[in-house]
Structure formats: structure tokens, C-alpha cells
Amino acid sequence: MVRRRAFLAGLAALSGLAGCGASAAADTGSAVAPDRPSCADGFRIVDRVERIERGTVPEVEFRLHNGGDTTVGYTLRVGFEQATSTGLREPSGRDVLVGTVGPGATVTITATTDGAERTSTTDYTLAVTLSCPESADV
């Protein structure tokens, strides 16, 4: 079983991490979207554990931390993929995780899929959208 563990020190580690409506693959390393909501300044993905092995259902566990003073809403879109014999990547499932992280709180969430090709998964992509509660926008 492939078990990778990554500690993410900053927002730039995942592209689009704090972007309002921004999205990109987890391994691109590009800069954080400039239009991120103000409440998201303290939001971080502080840990992730990937359990991806052919023949089993994939799981990616994310640990989210909000070091800010306001609750942050999140939507994580995880797209699971499989490498084909031709070298192309094809979808093997997806998961959408939606929730909130309160001020100073840390939560752990797990993405998985029930897609028809789930046991052929070899990789995943991640897109994150953050939002502020309406009271924080006033």
C-alpha cells in the first residue's frame, strides 16, 4: 500500500487553497489566489494522508486548521484519477466535502469515492473554495 504523508506549512503549498472560486491540482505549487476571502487568512491544510493502492477504495484524509478569528466555510473537491495503459489520466471517481471550521479549531475530514473505477485509482486532484459567513462580510 502506498501511504504518503505531507505536512503543509503554508497556503502556497496547495494552489488555489484560499481562493474564492479558485481551483487547481494539489501538486502544482502555484501561488494562492489573490481573491481569497478575508476570513481565510488563518486557514491551512496542516496535514494530509493518502491511502491509494490499486484494488482498494482510495482515501485521502485532510486535517484543516483555522487560526483566524472567524468561522471559515470550505468546499473541497477531490477528483480521483487512474493512469491508463496509454499514459492518459482518466477519472475514477470524485468526492465533495463541505463544512466549516470555527476559530482556533482543527477538523479532520476524509475523501473517498464510490465511482465504478474506484479500485483503479492511482492519483487525485484537489480544488478548494473558502467562504466567510455573511456576518463576517459586513
Side-chain angles (χ1 to χ4, degrees), residues 56-80:
T56 64
V57 177
E59 290 184 352
V60 183
E61 182 181 279
F62 299 96
R63 207 165 123 232
L64 313 176
H65 178 72
N66 178 6
D69 298 332
T70 305
T71 297
V72 177
Y74 64 83
T75 302
L76 274 72
R77 289 177 180 79
V78 182
F80 293 95

Side-chain angles (χ1 to χ4, degrees), residues 111-131:
T112 190
T113 181
D114 60 358
E117 297 294 324
R118 67 186 169 270
T119 59
S120 298
T121 297
T122 57
D123 206 357
Y124 72 97
T125 59
L126 172 65
V128 178
T129 304
L130 300 176
S131 60

Side-chain angles (χ1 to χ4, degrees), residues 32-88:
V32 174
D35 60 344
R36 70 178 182 252
S38 60
C39 70
D41 288 342
F43 182 87
R44 304 282 187 274
I45 296 178
V46 293
D47 191 13
R48 65 181 169 175
V49 177
E50 305 157 353
R51 291 177 292 275
I52 299 176
E53 177 183 4
R54 281 196 184 264
T56 64
V57 177
E59 290 184 352
V60 183
E61 182 181 279
F62 299 96
R63 207 165 123 232
L64 313 176
H65 178 72
N66 178 6
D69 298 332
T70 305
T71 297
V72 177
Y74 64 83
T75 302
L76 274 72
R77 289 177 180 79
V78 182
F80 293 95
E81 300 176 339
Q82 63 179 314
T84 65
S85 60
T86 60
L88 300 174

